[in-house]
Amino acid sequence: DTGVSQDPRHKITKRGQNVTFRCDPISEHNRLYWYRQTLGQGPEFLTYFQNEAQLEKSRLLSDRFSAERPKGSFSTLEIQRTEQGDSAMYLCASSPPVVSRDTEAFFGQGTRLTVV
Amino acid sequence: AQTVTQSQPEMSVQEAETVTLSCTYDTSESNYYLFWYKQPPSRQMILVIRQEAYKQQNATENRFSVNFQKAAKSFSLKISDSQLGDTAMYFCAFMKGRDDKIIFGKGTRLHILP
């Protein structure tokens, strides 16, 4: 088991461009979370999936953000028409099924987005 | 809505000392899960310790222990015999149910001084 994998690790983009990030969760983890973290702050919840179903999306998330998890495996997070305020670390986490003994989420190393 | 509050933005202690990080939360749920996560500089977040609200016994993991006060909605982390490798951001987190999202506090930056 290689842990939660995120790609790319770093992304620099020009304002107005679209970007897409990928997250590969730990195998057999059916829950997948996306968070945004700015410098010195705690992770801010964006959205989460159980299998392929998107269960909740933060009200703070604008319509420029969309996430998918086709087939309940990897997930993508797309940001359209990026703005400088989108610059942050985007964290992905996964957690095992409810029936598992473990309850916590396991985090990836994140994708750092810089919008110039 | 659930909230998690960490009132200490930054703390510093000498190596080998004991330090306690504070966390309070707000919820109307009777059962839930609480976590402390550690995020070392430029490294990924890892779980330090977890507590299930229905368990009265405080969780311990080696040098890490919690003081869970359910009525006061308080969940503090105690690090004994602190080590240089404990230097990190520490986040308190809350999860309402096992199939729910995890909500994080703003974090406490802990410096262990040699």
Side-chain angles (χ1 to χ4, degrees):
Chain A
D1 194 342
T2 57
V4 178
S5 176
Q6 292 189 246
D7 183 69
R9 293 288 307 281
H10 303 273
K11 178 71 176 178
I12 300 175
T13 190
K14 291 184 178 179
R15 188 175 52 185
Q17 297 294 305
N18 299 344
V19 294
T20 300
F21 309 141
R22 176 179 171 125
C23 172
D24 287 272
I26 295 172
S27 60
E28 299 181 356
H29 278 195
N30 65 340
R31 284 174 289 157
L32 186 148
Y33 308 84
W34 285 100
Y35 289 87
R36 177 170 61 192
Q37 186 179 26
T38 53
L39 196 63
Q41 298 296 310
E44 175 189 21
F45 170 76
L46 295 179
T47 188
Y48 84 113
F49 294 82
Q50 182 159 294
N51 300 312
E52 66 274 10
Q54 187 172 19
L55 296 188
E56 187 173 341
K57 184 175 175 179
S58 170
R59 289 173 294 171
L60 301 175
L61 211 58
S62 79
D63 291 341
R64 298 183 297 106
F65 288 72
S66 63
E68 294 183 342
R69 193 183 182 197
K71 302 179 183 179
S73 55
F74 71 92
S75 176
T76 58
L77 177 68
E78 180 183 18
I79 309 173
Q80 296 182 327
R81 305 181 302 282
T82 53
E83 302 172 356
Q84 286 190 322
D86 297 331
S87 295
M89 177 74 84
Y90 289 84
L91 298 173
C92 177
S94 69
S95 57
V98 171
V99 295
S100 167
R101 173 185 174 274
D102 295 325
T103 54
E104 71 271 21
F106 296 79
F107 280 81
Q109 293 186 294
T111 293
R112 181 168 296 283
L113 173 66
T114 302
V115 182
V116 298
Chain B
Q2 288 79 20
T3 58
V4 178
T5 302
Q6 294 181 249
S7 59
Q8 304 150 313
E10 195 161 0
M11 299 181 70
S12 296
V13 296
Q14 295 293 135
E15 192 176 6
E17 288 185 349
T18 294
V19 60
T20 299
L21 280 58
S22 301
C23 173
T24 58
Y25 57 94
D26 187 26
T27 185
S28 57
E29 303 293 325
S30 59
N31 194 31
Y32 44 86
Y33 302 84
L34 295 164
F35 309 92
W36 278 98
Y37 277 87
K38 169 185 177 181
Q39 189 176 42
S42 301
R43 294 177 60 187
Q44 70 196 89
M45 191 113 61
I46 57 173
L47 179 74
V48 175
I49 198 165
R50 63 177 173 224
Q51 175 83 40
E52 297 174 51
Y54 72 88
K55 292 185 177 179
Q56 293 185 336
Q57 186 174 7
N58 289 325
T60 62
E61 288 287 343
N62 301 313
R63 297 183 295 108
F64 299 87
S65 61
V66 299
N67 183 5
F68 173 49
Q69 300 291 324
K70 191 172 183 179
K73 296 180 182 176
S74 171
F75 183 62
S76 60
L77 174 69
K78 185 171 83 171
I79 306 174
S80 303
D81 185 28
S82 57
Q83 302 175 358
L84 296 178
D86 295 333
T87 292
M89 283 288 288
Y90 286 81
F91 296 101
C92 180
F94 171 98
M95 183 169 72
K96 183 173 64 174
R98 294 198 65 176
D99 58 351
D100 204 357
K101 62 184 181 288
I102 302 174
I103 302 298
F104 288 84
K106 292 186 181 298
T108 296
R109 185 177 301 278
L110 177 64
H111 301 274
I112 307 300
L113 307 173

